[in-house]
Amino acid sequence: MSDDKPDLAKGVKAEDLREASPMIGLYEGQEVILVRHGRELSALSAKCTHLGASLEKGLVVEGQVRCPWHHARFSLADGTAEGGPAIQSLSCFRVEETDGLIRVLGKKAAPSPKSKANAERIVVVGTGAGGHALAAALGRAGRGADVTLIGAEPDAPYDRTFCSKQYLQGGKSRDECFLPVEGLDQVKIRTGTEITGVDVQSRELETALSA
């Protein structure tokens, strides 16, 4: 971590932050990007939650910052991961502009999901990245208790690309291949369960294993 990054708690000159051009600095030792977009200012954790690319080089467009490596998209309003391959959101910080300085004031609390009463059960078939992302998004939206994620593989959801490019080349451990658990705290995950049929009318699934 470079020592030449500005201390965002002390502030940076407002005139130095250009429109749609992220500026990186430090807040309590953590790398944070500042982004000016229109009349808004955003402060977000600086590393993409997929593989850690610096968002200092990210593209700012349509209310999002986009990762320069694999084009994951994050909301500038609250750091929410809005497009794969990233699943985990960025941390979001309070920021103010006064007296010609922009300062980061502290980390914002994560937004509380809005629970929905009388929600129907949701079954997501497939524990790959797509099924995992859908289940996690439903969990963050307050639907986690209604969701069951089912897959035929015996392992918990893991990143197939990361496994082939990192683990098999000896760069990462097996445990580092598993996908993040943000949004899955209430989701029920059933591994080793193969779906063999779907009855659309009765809205039931047939499995190769007994329940």
Side-chain angles (χ1 to χ4, degrees):
M1 187 177 296
S2 175
D3 293 331
D4 61 1
K5 295 182 179 68
D7 184 343
L8 299 181
K10 295 180 179 178
V12 296
K13 292 181 179 179
E15 63 187 27
D16 291 340
L17 183 62
R18 295 177 295 165
E19 173 73 17
S21 180
M23 174 190 290
I24 194 166
L26 299 176
Y27 180 77
E28 296 184 347
Q30 179 178 354
E31 290 187 339
V32 172
I33 55 167
L34 295 176
V35 183
R36 188 189 296 280
H37 47 113
R39 298 183 179 180
E40 302 296 327
L41 283 173
S42 296
L44 304 167
S45 50
K47 292 190 180 299
C48 176
T49 58
H50 177 226
L51 288 180
S54 176
L55 297 175
E56 179 186 12
K57 304 296 184 182
L59 177 67
V60 175
V61 61
E62 298 179 350
Q64 298 174 329
V65 60
R66 302 185 179 186
C67 175
W69 285 3
H70 302 102
H71 312 295
R73 307 191 308 275
F74 301 93
S75 167
L76 289 170
D78 59 12
T80 299
E82 296 184 333
I87 296 172
Q88 288 179 298
S89 300
L90 301 173
S91 297
C92 190
F93 297 80
R94 294 180 290 113
V95 61
E96 69 171 8
E97 181 176 353
T98 57
D99 301 325
L101 287 178
I102 298 173
R103 298 181 180 88
V104 171
L105 305 178
K107 185 179 289 187
K108 291 182 179 179
S112 300
K114 297 180 180 180
S115 60
K116 297 184 178 182
N118 302 319
E120 296 183 0
R121 293 179 59 192
I122 301 170
V123 177
V124 179
V125 179
T127 53
H132 173 273
L134 175 57
L138 288 166
R140 291 194 297 270
R143 300 291 298 273
D146 310 312
V147 178
T148 300
L149 179 61
I150 295 178
E153 294 201 34
D155 293 309
Y158 62 91
D159 188 323
R160 270 72 167 166
T161 302
F162 191 85
C163 177
S164 62
K165 292 185 176 181
Q166 303 289 334
Y167 171 62
L168 294 181
Q169 295 180 16
K172 297 292 182 179
S173 70
R174 182 178 185 277
D175 288 344
E176 289 176 294
C177 295
F178 290 108
L179 290 165
V181 296
E182 180 191 7
L184 297 180
D185 53 324
Q186 290 185 297
V187 173
K188 296 174 283 293
I189 301 177
R190 290 184 57 177
T191 57
T193 303
E194 180 183 0
I195 301 300
T196 57
V198 179
D199 188 325
V200 177
Q201 289 187 337
S202 64
R203 304 174 74 177
E204 294 180 347
L205 297 175
E206 299 174 359
T207 69
L209 298 178
S210 59

